[in-house]
Amino acid sequence: RTVRDIAIPIATVLVFTTIYSIILLVVCPHSSDFNGLDDERDDQKLFNRFYFTMTTLSTTGFGDISPRSMRAK
């Protein structure tokens, strides 16, 4: 395998995860939409959505952040 064979799927996953995180930030901008984000600062919002997206899409699901509102679900 070459580096390109591995880099393209990883880059694709990162691009889709970033797009989904931004959409999630627009649709659910308030920390009250999620359990575990009660004391979220404005500068943490995108990172927290990215973390939630990665753990959800990778089916790891640690459970430290979970959707609370219907919009987030």
Side-chain angles (χ1 to χ4, degrees):
R1 293 197 128 183
T2 65
V3 173
R4 184 181 171 131
D5 291 340
I6 297 170
I8 291 175
I10 291 174
T12 303
V13 167
L14 288 176
V15 166
F16 281 113
T17 302
T18 303
I19 291 170
Y20 184 79
S21 299
I22 292 170
I23 291 170
L24 192 59
L25 182 60
V26 170
V27 173
C28 302
H30 306 292
S31 60
S32 62
D33 290 322
F34 295 91
N35 293 316
L37 295 180
D38 297 328
D39 56 350
E40 178 181 50
R41 295 188 326 251
D42 286 341
D43 61 336
Q44 296 174 324
K45 287 186 176 188
L46 184 59
F47 175 77
N48 287 337
R49 298 319 185 268
F50 187 81
Y51 171 77
F52 173 75
T53 303
M54 284 299 290
T55 57
T56 301
L57 293 179
S58 67
T59 67
T60 303
F62 294 119
D64 53 346
I65 300 174
S66 59
R68 182 184 302 164
S69 70
M70 286 307 293
R71 287 184 306 202
K73 291 178 182 179

